[in-house]
Amino acid sequence: MEIKNKFNIIQGKFLSQDLNQLQLGNYISLLDDIPKISLEKLLILYKKNSNGLKNLIDNINFIEIIAKYTQITQKDIEFLDKYLSFLESCISLLKLNQLNLEKKKLKTELKIAQERNKSAEIATKITLLNKLNESINEYHTRLKLFEEDFFSIKNQKKMLELNLENFKKTQIILKKEQKDIFNQINILTREEENQSDNQNKKISTLRKNAKILRNKINNLKQKIENSQYKLNQNMPKFKEFDKIYHNLKENLEIDKKKMKNLQMELEEVIDLDKLDEETKYGLKELSYIRPISLIKSSINNITKEIIKIESYNHKYFKNENDLLIKDLEQFKSNLDDFFSKELEEFDINELKSKIKSLNKLGIWLYKFQKLLNEFLETINLKISIDFFFNLTPNFARNSQIIINFKRVKEEAVIYDNLTTPEKVFFIICFYLTIESLKNKRNIIFTNLIIPKDYNKKGSIFRTLTKIMPVFNESPDLKEKSLTFLISGFKLSKDIKNVQLYNINNT
C-alpha cells in the first residue's frame, strides 16, 4: 500500500524483530543513557543509513589520539614539575650554604665586638679598621663613577692612534705604487724618440693612474693631519684622567694593604683561644665591626631564614645532601628513559584531517540541538549540549554529550524531574530529529521505542498534535513525510490532516 499523505498513522500489532530496519535496539540503548549520551553510540546510530558525513565516527579515533597525546603531555608536565622541584631544592641548598657562611662571619664579628669592650687597644684598632673600610668604599664608589669617562677617553685615544697608523701605512703603499708608475713612464719615454701609438696609450694610462694615486695620497695626507690634530687634542685630557684613575687605584690598594695589616694585628691582639673554630672563620675577611646590637639582629634574621629553608625540605637539608644527589641521579636516569621511549610523533596531516572532522561534528551537534529545540519549545522546554571528552586513552570511547534541560523562563530541570508527557515528547522528538538530519524524506516512528512506563496513549496523542505544526512550518522539515506505527493500543480520536490505517496481523 503506497502512502501519499504527509502524516500517516498505521495501527496494528508490531514486533520489534519486524522493525529491525528502524534500529530500535540501538535507539532504546541510547535513550537509556539520557541525559548523558554515549558519543560513540550516537554517531554510530546517525552514521548508519545516512548519506552524509560518513566519517563522523572517525572523531572517536581522534579523541583516542588526543587522549594519548594528553597522557604523554601530562607525563611531560610531571617530569617538568619534578625538575623544577629539584632545581628549587638546589637553589635553596646554595642559599643555605651562603647563609651559614654569613652566620659564621657574623659570629666572628660578634666575638670581636665583645672583645672591643674589654680592651682599649682593640677598640682603637677596630675604630681604625672601620675608617679604612669607609675609605675603601669611598674609593670604590669614585672609581666606579670615574671609570666610564676614563675608558671612553682611553678608547677614543686608541681608535685615533689606530686610524693614524693605518692611514700612514696606506700612504706609504700608495707612494710606492706612484713611484713605480713614474719609473715605468720614464722607461717608455726613453726607449725611442718617436713614440708609437701603443706606447703613447700606455703612457697616457699610466699618467692617469698616477694622477688618481696622487689624489688618494693627498686625501690621506688630509686625514693624517686631522687624526693627528684630534689625537693632540685628546692627549691632555687623557693624561689628566689617567693620572686621576691610577691615583685612585693606588690609594685603594694602599688602604687595602693597611686593612690587611690591621686585620693581622687584630688577630695577634685578640685571644684566639677564646674563639671556637666556627667563630675563627673569616676573621681576616672582616672589614667593619658594627655595634653588638646590630650584629645580633643580623644573626637572628639569618637564623630565621636558615630555619625556613631547612623546614621547607627537611629530608634534603638534614642529611648532608646525600639524598638530594641520589634523587637527582635517579631523576636523570628516568628522564633519559622517558625521552627514549615515551615520546611519539604525530602525523600533522592526519591531525588536520581529524580536526576538520571534529569541526563537522560540532556543526552536526549544533543542527541537532537547534532542530530538537524547535520541537521542544512548543511545550516550553529547551535543551543545551555540553561535551565530555574522556582523555584517558583506554576510555576515550566513553566520551559523552550531556543534554541539559530548562523550562522556558524557569530554572534548569533534570531529566528525571520531567513529567511523563514531557519525557514522551522528548523521546519522540529526539528520534525524529536524528532521522530528519539523515536527509530522509520519509520518516517512520514506532511507539515500541518508548519505555513501557511512558508508553501512554494520551501522551503520544498530544505529542503528535504538537509536532505536526513544526513539520509544516519549519524550512528544514516541510518536505518530510511522517508515518507512525502504533502498536499495543488504538487511537480513539481522529487527528486532523492525518491518514489513519488499521492492519490485522493475525
Side-chain angles (χ1 to χ4, degrees):
M1 176 175 57
E2 183 180 356
I3 301 173
K4 296 183 179 179
N5 297 70
K6 183 179 178 70
F7 302 104
N8 306 279
I9 295 178
I10 301 176
Q11 297 185 131
K13 187 176 174 110
F14 300 99
L15 299 176
S16 59
Q17 57 264 32
D18 299 327
L19 301 171
N20 284 334
Q21 68 272 23
L22 298 183
Q23 298 176 270
L24 299 185
N26 290 340
Y27 270 106
I28 292 171
S29 173
L30 192 66
L31 292 170
D32 286 342
D33 295 336
I34 294 174
K36 296 180 181 180
I37 297 179
S38 166
L39 182 59
E40 183 180 24
K41 288 181 181 179
L42 178 64
L43 293 179
I44 291 174
L45 185 64
Y46 173 72
K47 180 182 177 183
K48 191 170 183 179
N49 299 327
S50 173
N51 294 325
L53 301 179
K54 293 289 187 182
N55 63 343
L56 272 181
I57 195 63
D58 291 342
N59 286 281
I60 299 297
N61 299 327
F62 179 60
I63 294 170
E64 290 178 339
I65 292 174
I66 293 298
K68 192 172 183 180
Y69 179 79
T70 302
Q71 188 179 54
I72 293 173
T73 303
Q74 184 60 39
K75 288 185 178 181
D76 290 344
I77 293 172
E78 290 173 2
F79 268 86
L80 181 59
D81 285 343
K82 192 70 173 176
Y83 170 75
L84 292 175
S85 176
F86 281 133
L87 185 61
E88 187 175 354
S89 296
C90 291
I91 292 172
S92 297
L93 178 61
L94 292 173
K95 187 176 181 181
L96 182 63
N97 289 338
Q98 182 62 36
L99 289 172
N100 282 322
L101 291 175
E102 290 180 16
K103 186 174 181 180
K104 290 178 181 179
K105 190 174 179 180
L106 285 170
K107 286 185 175 181
T108 302
E109 184 182 357
L110 179 61
K111 286 288 185 179
I112 296 172
Q114 291 169 341
E115 292 294 319
R116 172 175 53 193
N117 296 337
K118 302 175 185 178
S119 169
E121 182 181 2
I122 293 176
T124 300
K125 291 185 182 296
I126 288 176
T127 300
L128 181 56
L129 182 71
N130 291 342
K131 286 182 179 180
L132 283 171
N133 181 68
E134 292 174 2
S135 176
I136 289 171
N137 289 336
E138 183 181 349
Y139 280 131
H140 274 302
T141 302
R142 289 173 63 187
L143 269 172
K144 188 174 181 180
L145 295 172
F146 188 75
E147 275 179 346
E148 184 175 353
D149 291 336
F150 170 67
F151 285 118
S152 176
I153 292 172
K154 186 177 181 180
N155 289 335
Q156 288 177 17
K157 173 179 169 291
K158 285 183 177 180
M159 186 61 68
L160 288 169
E161 289 174 338
L162 181 62
N163 288 340
L164 188 60
E165 183 181 357
N166 290 335
F167 291 154
K168 288 180 177 180
K169 286 181 179 178
T170 305
Q171 188 184 50
I172 292 171
I173 293 171
L174 292 178
K175 283 183 177 181
K176 185 178 181 302
E177 291 179 5
Q178 187 184 49
K179 184 178 179 181
D180 291 341
I181 289 175
F182 286 144
N183 288 336
Q184 292 180 52
I185 293 173
N186 290 334
I187 291 171
L188 288 172
T189 55
R190 286 198 299 267
E191 284 181 352
E192 294 181 14
E193 292 183 5
N194 298 322
Q195 302 290 329
S196 66
D197 290 340
N198 188 40
Q199 285 177 314
N200 288 332
K201 287 180 180 179
K202 287 183 179 180
I203 292 171
S204 176
T205 301
L206 288 170
R207 283 174 177 169
K208 287 180 181 179
N209 291 339
K211 185 177 180 180
I212 293 172
L213 287 173
R214 183 188 65 194
N215 291 335
K216 288 183 178 180
I217 291 169
N218 289 337
N219 288 336
L220 277 172
K221 181 180 178 182
Q222 185 63 43
K223 289 180 180 179
I224 289 170
E225 289 175 356
N226 291 338
S227 295
Q228 187 63 58
Y229 175 77
K230 291 179 181 179
L231 182 61
N232 292 339
Q233 292 291 106
N234 175 274
M235 285 305 294
K237 192 172 184 179
F238 168 74
K239 289 179 179 178
E240 180 186 355
F241 275 57
D242 185 66
K243 182 178 179 182
I244 295 172
Y245 178 75
H246 286 92
N247 283 340
L248 286 172
K249 289 200 72 175
E250 184 178 353
N251 291 333
L252 177 61
E253 293 303 319
I254 289 172
D255 279 358
K256 284 183 176 179
K257 187 173 181 180
K258 287 181 180 179
M259 177 177 281
K260 186 176 180 180
N261 292 333
L262 190 57
Q263 288 169 334
M264 292 174 64
E265 291 176 13
L266 269 172
E267 188 175 349
E268 292 176 0
V269 174
I270 295 174
D271 187 358
L272 293 179
D273 292 336
K274 294 181 179 180
L275 303 179
D276 54 36
E277 289 301 321
E278 186 182 64
T279 310
K280 289 178 186 177
Y281 173 82
L283 178 60
K284 293 182 180 180
E285 296 182 1
L286 288 175
S287 59
Y288 185 77
I289 309 298
R290 298 170 297 163
I292 292 175
S293 59
L294 293 179
I295 301 171
K296 287 184 176 180
S297 176
S298 297
I299 291 174
N300 289 335
N301 291 336
I302 285 182
T303 301
K304 289 178 183 178
E305 287 190 62
I306 291 173
I307 293 173
K308 183 178 179 180
I309 293 175
E310 289 180 341
S311 62
Y312 172 74
N313 205 332
H314 178 79
K315 68 174 183 176
Y316 285 152
F317 301 143
K318 289 294 185 181
N319 298 288
E320 298 182 354
N321 318 126
D322 291 341
L323 185 58
L324 176 58
I325 294 172
K326 181 179 179 182
D327 283 355
L328 280 171
E329 290 176 349
Q330 182 62 43
F331 172 74
K332 183 180 182 300
S333 173
N334 292 342
L335 188 61
D336 291 340
D337 184 63
F338 168 75
F339 278 116
S340 64
K341 295 181 180 179
E342 293 294 338
L343 292 182
E344 286 192 20
E345 293 184 0
F346 292 93
D347 186 336
I348 188 66
N349 292 324
E350 181 183 3
L351 286 178
K352 288 180 180 179
S353 173
K354 298 298 185 183
I355 290 172
K356 288 181 180 179
S357 179
L358 192 64
N359 185 49
K360 290 180 180 179
L361 171 63
I363 293 172
W364 183 85
L365 286 173
Y366 169 77
K367 291 180 179 179
F368 173 80
Q369 176 180 296
K370 180 175 178 295
L371 183 56
L372 183 53
N373 276 329
E374 287 187 38
F375 291 116
L376 295 178
E377 285 170 358
T378 61
I379 60 169
N380 294 324
L381 265 183
K382 195 171 185 179
I383 65 149
S384 62
I385 293 175
D386 290 331
F387 288 93
F388 176 76
F389 288 147
N390 193 325
L391 294 182
T392 304
N394 294 337
F395 299 98
R397 291 184 174 271
N398 292 345
S399 297
Q400 301 168 327
I401 62 169
I402 301 172
I403 300 179
N404 306 299
F405 294 86
K406 183 179 180 181
R407 290 194 176 96
V408 178
K409 297 182 180 179
E410 291 186 21
E411 296 181 355
V413 58
I414 63 175
Y415 178 75
D416 289 342
N417 289 342
L418 294 178
T419 64
T420 295
E422 286 174 333
K423 289 180 179 178
V424 172
F425 191 92
F426 172 78
I427 291 169
I428 293 174
C429 293
F430 180 88
Y431 175 93
L432 296 177
T433 298
I434 293 178
E435 294 299 305
S436 298
L437 289 175
K438 292 180 180 180
N439 296 322
K440 287 184 175 182
R441 183 176 178 82
N442 299 307
I443 300 174
I444 299 175
F445 173 78
T446 176
N447 64 311
L448 294 177
I449 291 176
I450 303 172
K452 292 181 180 180
D453 293 342
Y454 307 142
N455 200 1
K456 309 293 184 183
K457 180 172 67 174
S459 295
I460 294 174
F461 178 83
R462 283 189 292 272
T463 297
L464 297 181
T465 56
K466 284 279 187 180
I467 64 173
M468 284 192 297
V470 178
F471 271 91
N472 286 325
E473 297 170 7
S474 174
D476 298 324
L477 300 174
K478 59 173 55 179
E479 301 299 324
K480 307 286 185 182
S481 295
L482 303 180
T483 300
F484 297 91
L485 304 180
I486 304 299
S487 178
F489 57 81
K490 290 186 177 181
L491 296 179
S492 56
K493 295 181 181 180
D494 291 336
I495 303 176
K496 187 178 180 181
N497 297 324
V498 175
Q499 184 68 44
L500 182 64
Y501 300 90
N502 292 295
I503 62 173
N504 189 351
N505 293 333
T506 58

